[in-house]
Amino acid sequence: MTSLASVAAPAGPVGGSRLGKILVYGVLLLFALFFLLPLFVMIVTSFKTLDEIRDGNMLALPVAPTIEPWIKAWGEACIGLTCAGIKGYFWNSIKMVVPAVAISTMLGALNGYVLTKWRFAGHKLVFGLMLFACFIPFQSVLIPMARILGLLGLANGTPGLVLVHVVYGLGFTTLFFRNYYEAFPSELIKAAQIDGAGFFQIFWRIILPSSGPIIVVTVIFQFTNIWNDFLFGSSFASGESAPMTVALNNLVATSTGVREYNVDMAAAMFAAIPTLLVYVLAGRYFVRGLMAGAVKG
Amino acid sequence: MAFLEIIGLRKRFASMEILKGIDITLEKGGFLVLVGPSGCGKSTLLNTIAGLETISEGEIRVEGRAINNLHPSKRDIAMVFQSYALYPNMTVAQNIAFALEMRGVPKAEREAAVAEAARTLQIGHLLKRKPSQLSGGQRQRVAMGRALVRNPRIFLFDEPLSNLDAKLRVDMRVEIKRLHQATRATIVYVTHDQIEAMTLATKIAVLKEGEIQQVGTPYEIYNRPANLFVADFMGSPAMNLMDAVVAAGSGRTEIRLTREGGEIRLPIPSSVTADGLGEGRKVVLGIRPEAITDRNGADRTSKAIEIVEAQVDVVEPAGSDTFVVTRLAGKEVTARMPADADVRAGARVPFAFNLDKALLFDPATGLRL
Ligand SMILES: Nc1ncnc2c1ncn2[C@@H]1O[C@H](COP(=O)(O)OP(=O)(O)OP(=O)(O)O)[C@@H](O)[C@H]1O
Ligand SMILES: [Mg+2]
């Protein structure tokens, strides 16, 4: 960092660059605080008692921190008519997001591999159509999707949601992998063919092991989208099989007298933690992956 | 019967014909070098032999059997790519063993083969590294090792040395030559480098725009180029090519070259086999720089040394020799003189032309006469 700064410094007018830097970092800091504020409020609220919430300042730290709201949100809160917390729905989401992310990423990788290294007549058209899939608004596919799920007997359940998310995510994952593999040297594929490796052997042994960054990017992208999805969840999985996002909405909407903000906030935190975790664990690769793609172009 | 036969091979990409009827044969243990300007189809030809490109017409045979419909893995060939194409996720040992693994060779045998190849190429200490941790020359050796373990019927090399610096190129060139002599492998090799072509080949094929210009030994290609293109393409500095006219001289037929303030008369070179060179016929005289020297450096065994006085334009010392440039027949003409030759730019000096080594070409067809 210091070497970078010392190299960059002489380029700008002396003094002006320092002021500029302070300005830039100041603005960045301000925005960061602004964006983090809701998260801060959520966290402090989730550790307060109801009395404290009612009387105190929204931004104040809890006077007597308690994890009671978290326990309640997880196992006791009422959603609709049952009062077993959000844990069941949390697992619903996990059962939906893991296979959906895994399958859509895998298929995206395969598609990208075929579209760049095993080109066939009309490969551009196929890719164009898949790209098109990225731009179809969710709402417009709801009714045909419902009909298809009904025909397949997958209406109202996690497997149906997995299918929906895989189909909807395929356009994006294919786009990611195709662009990444475009820059992958074709000579490696030729060499492997001469060496006697077949289609899937090349994919498993050579292509996939070199795809780390783009897999991370795709997984983060798909995980966030699918985990946070509300529309498909509320349309195709209601009641017991609803995913986390839908349950959270129902929890907040279920009124049993007093509105328990602390429990709502704790439940919302449960809903947010997995995506946060994925970002923290893989975030470094996310940025690196985006950069790698940009440089290779 | 030749080991490798390429018969009437044509390759089209869409409507563009890239290879226009290639015929080449190569005997077992031969070293065929393909040369030609960029984009003439050398890599494409190599890829068709490897099976990485289909062919539009013609046939490729190895030991008398057509292989053009075989999958690349079934052709029993190994290829070294210009970029080496090492698998980045595997170690050097895994890279070398990959082809054997794909062919189901047992682990113990694979390891023995890798060790053997590593010993030949002196890369034993690198076996556990990844390609990204190797230098250019080391990568090149690993790429060769990958081909060597296979012990294939034919090796294909696509400009394997072009990524290396000059010093390493020379070392690797010697190594490839040694390898060829030791293993007696059959090799097809693409290069841009004149010296690589001349030193390595037992046979050179010169390509231009998808057509073979000449196939022959390095000696034939260099000393008896079939046409103006080959004459100009092979050799560095290039052969001097001067316009001339056939004329009747005193008791002999001669060629005349115009120059500032007069003309030069030279006898017809002895290499000319065509007869009936009519008076007034336009020809091109081709003579390599080393066949033009100073008076002392002239080849004493030659029967046709002609002395021409000319003004020196430029003197280019090149270490072991000095290249002296003058103007004749409206063209720059380069002579190769000893390093200690006493010539200065602007001086008039005698140039000794060795007409035994000169060639005549037909300017219309480009063919040698
Ligand atoms: N897949 C392809 N589709 C269309 N044209 C191609 C294709 N591959 C090669 N060509 C064309 O074929 C010609 C020969 O290409 P090739 O790569 O064989 O040249 P080369 O002699 O190896 O050149 P270089 O010395 O630069 O490597 C070029 O004009 C190239 O544009
Ligand atoms: Mg090439």
Side-chain angles (χ1 to χ4, degrees):
Chain A
M1 238 29 249
T2 45
S3 70
L4 200 80
S6 63
V7 169
V14 185
S17 72
R18 159 159 276 156
L19 191 72
K21 221 180 257 172
I22 291 173
L23 216 73
V24 166
Y25 281 107
V27 169
L28 283 177
L29 206 68
L30 215 68
F31 274 110
L33 284 176
F34 186 70
F35 280 110
L36 283 175
L37 203 60
L39 183 67
F40 175 75
V41 172
M42 273 172 74
I43 293 175
V44 293
T45 308
S46 71
F47 286 109
K48 287 174 183 172
T49 61
L50 266 183
D51 288 339
E52 201 186 331
I53 295 173
R54 222 171 293 125
D55 304 337
N57 181 340
M58 213 175 22
L59 293 175
L61 290 170
V63 181
T66 167
I67 57 161
E68 202 53 43
W70 287 72
I71 295 170
K72 190 164 184 203
W74 182 249
E76 297 157 21
C78 295
I79 292 160
L81 296 177
T82 49
C83 289
I86 47 137
K87 63 170 182 290
Y89 306 99
F90 186 87
W91 293 122
N92 279 350
S93 268
I94 297 279
K95 276 183 259 170
M96 166 189 74
V97 80
V98 171
V101 168
I103 295 171
S104 61
T105 304
M106 218 46 225
L107 287 180
L110 256 179
N111 283 346
Y113 171 49
V114 171
L115 285 171
T116 51
K117 304 303 173 200
W118 296 81
R119 288 197 164 140
F120 48 91
H123 69 92
K124 279 207 176 119
L125 183 72
V126 171
F127 180 57
L129 290 175
M130 301 208 78
L131 265 190
F132 194 62
C134 299
F135 300 112
I136 300 175
F138 280 35
Q139 289 80 357
S140 66
V141 299
L142 284 181
I143 293 172
M145 194 64 96
R147 174 106 182 94
I148 288 174
L149 289 179
L151 285 176
L152 293 173
L154 293 175
N156 204 13
T158 304
L161 269 188
V162 170
L163 180 69
V164 171
H165 284 301
V166 166
V167 169
Y168 209 87
L170 218 51
F172 293 96
T173 57
T174 302
L175 170 69
F176 291 165
F177 279 100
R178 196 208 83 113
N179 286 356
Y180 188 76
Y181 292 153
E182 188 72 39
F184 191 87
S186 294
E187 290 198 338
L188 286 181
I189 312 293
K190 292 183 183 172
Q193 274 181 285
I194 292 178
D195 278 349
F199 178 88
F200 281 107
Q201 276 172 322
I202 295 176
F203 184 61
W204 283 112
R205 298 289 305 275
I206 292 156
I207 295 275
L208 265 195
S210 313
S211 310
I214 198 65
I215 290 176
V216 170
V217 169
T218 311
V219 164
I220 291 182
F221 184 85
Q222 283 296 89
F223 191 96
T224 330
N225 272 344
I226 297 175
W227 183 272
N228 288 338
D229 163 71
F230 181 77
L231 186 66
F232 286 151
S234 62
S235 309
F236 303 129
S238 52
E240 287 294 289
S241 57
M244 187 72 199
T245 44
V246 176
L248 186 62
N249 177 62
N250 294 346
L251 171 80
V252 176
T254 307
S255 57
T256 50
V258 198
R259 176 152 287 222
E260 296 177 296
Y261 286 111
N262 51 358
V263 176
D264 292 352
M265 292 303 171
M269 284 306 298
F270 276 120
I273 281 171
T275 38
L276 283 177
L277 219 62
V278 167
Y279 266 105
V280 170
L281 292 182
R284 291 185 307 132
Y285 292 97
F286 186 65
V287 174
R288 204 187 295 164
L290 289 179
M291 300 295 265
V295 173
K296 276 183 191 166
Chain B
M1 182 179 55
F3 188 71
L4 168 69
E5 293 168 276
I6 298 168
I7 303 151
L9 186 147
R10 287 172 189 275
K11 171 69 187 172
R12 283 182 285 269
F13 286 115
S15 59
M16 257 204 313
E17 193 160 53
I18 301 298
L19 297 175
K20 303 165 183 167
I22 303 288
D23 293 281
I24 304 179
T25 60
L26 183 65
E27 59 292 346
K28 194 173 171 66
F31 198 126
L32 171 68
V33 173
L34 303 173
V35 293
S38 193
C40 69
K42 305 181 294 289
S43 297
T44 307
L45 179 56
L46 212 61
N47 285 340
T48 60
I49 300 174
L52 299 170
E53 298 277 3
T54 56
I55 62 179
S56 310
E57 270 174 52
E59 198 165 67
I60 302 171
R61 291 189 200 150
V62 176
E63 292 181 298
R65 298 243 317 274
I67 61 162
N68 24 329
N69 291 321
L70 289 182
H71 186 266
S73 62
K74 302 280 189 300
R75 295 190 179 197
D76 199 10
I77 42 142
M79 186 155 172
V80 178
F81 292 87
Q82 179 173 355
S83 62
Y84 310 144
L86 301 179
Y87 309 126
N89 53 306
M90 301 184 199
T91 64
V92 167
Q94 287 168 333
N95 260 287
I96 297 177
F98 188 70
L100 301 179
E101 191 188 335
M102 289 297 115
R103 285 172 167 72
V105 175
K107 194 158 193 294
E109 251 176 77
R110 289 204 307 257
E111 278 167 4
V114 169
E116 166 76 23
R119 203 172 44 78
T120 313
L121 296 165
Q122 296 165 14
I123 49 173
H125 57 296
L126 304 174
L127 287 177
K128 293 212 163 52
R129 292 205 205 164
K130 291 274 175 72
S132 58
Q133 300 164 316
L134 301 178
S135 74
Q138 290 169 334
R139 282 179 209 186
Q140 207 273 340
R141 260 180 257 199
V142 175
M144 297 231 303
R146 219 168 53 173
L148 268 182
V149 274
R150 295 264 314 278
N151 195 17
R153 286 193 293 184
I154 299 176
F155 286 93
L156 306 176
F157 288 88
D158 193 352
E159 301 193 37
L161 305 186
S162 59
N163 287 343
L164 305 181
D165 64 56
K167 172 84 173 66
L168 201 52
R169 269 174 102 128
V170 176
D171 293 348
M172 292 309 296
R173 195 175 74 213
V174 173
E175 214 154 304
I176 291 177
K177 178 126 193 165
R178 187 179 300 136
L179 212 66
H180 178 240
Q181 285 170 350
T183 59
R184 304 309 310 167
T186 309
I187 297 176
V188 182
Y189 188 106
V190 170
T191 182
H192 268 119
D193 189 307
Q194 310 266 340
I195 305 181
E196 262 171 54
M198 295 299 292
T199 53
L200 292 173
T202 59
K203 199 175 212 177
I204 294 179
V206 184
L207 271 78
K208 178 193 172 198
E209 289 163 18
E211 285 177 279
I212 295 237
Q213 301 297 308
Q214 188 176 4
V215 182
T217 62
Y219 182 88
E220 284 164 357
I221 298 280
Y222 191 78
N223 294 298
R224 293 277 179 272
N227 56 36
L228 280 172
F229 176 80
V230 177
D232 193 37
F233 188 76
M234 292 302 286
S236 174
M239 181 183 276
N240 297 302
L241 297 168
M242 293 163 272
D243 293 324
V245 181
V246 178
S250 49
R252 64 173 190 187
T253 328
E254 353 172 276
I255 50 171
R256 292 186 185 166
L257 291 78
T258 54
R259 68 187 294 184
E260 274 169 63
E263 54 180 21
I264 304 166
R265 300 167 175 222
L266 297 171
I268 301 268
S270 56
S271 66
V272 175
T273 49
D275 34 40
L277 285 181
E279 229 175 285
R281 174 153 182 189
K282 287 198 167 70
V283 293
V284 174
L285 170 70
I287 182 160
R288 294 219 177 262
E290 61 267 28
I292 311 177
T293 57
D294 59 359
R295 207 189 287 265
N296 296 332
D299 184 355
R300 287 178 213 294
T301 59
S302 170
K303 292 180 285 296
I305 299 288
E306 296 282 328
I307 304 295
V308 176
E309 290 238 335
Q311 183 162 344
V312 174
D313 266 0
V314 181
V315 178
E316 299 178 315
S320 56
D321 302 290
T322 296
F323 293 106
V324 181
V325 182
T326 178
R327 284 192 83 80
L328 286 175
K331 293 254 174 64
E332 283 194 349
V333 173
T334 305
R336 183 172 181 167
M337 301 201 177
D340 54 6
D342 181 26
V343 284
R344 266 182 309 276
R348 264 189 97 75
V349 297
F351 289 83
F353 281 56
N354 181 356
L355 267 282
D356 269 359
K357 291 276 173 70
L359 307 167
L360 285 192
F361 297 92
D362 183 331
T365 63
L367 295 178
R368 183 161 54 83
L369 295 167

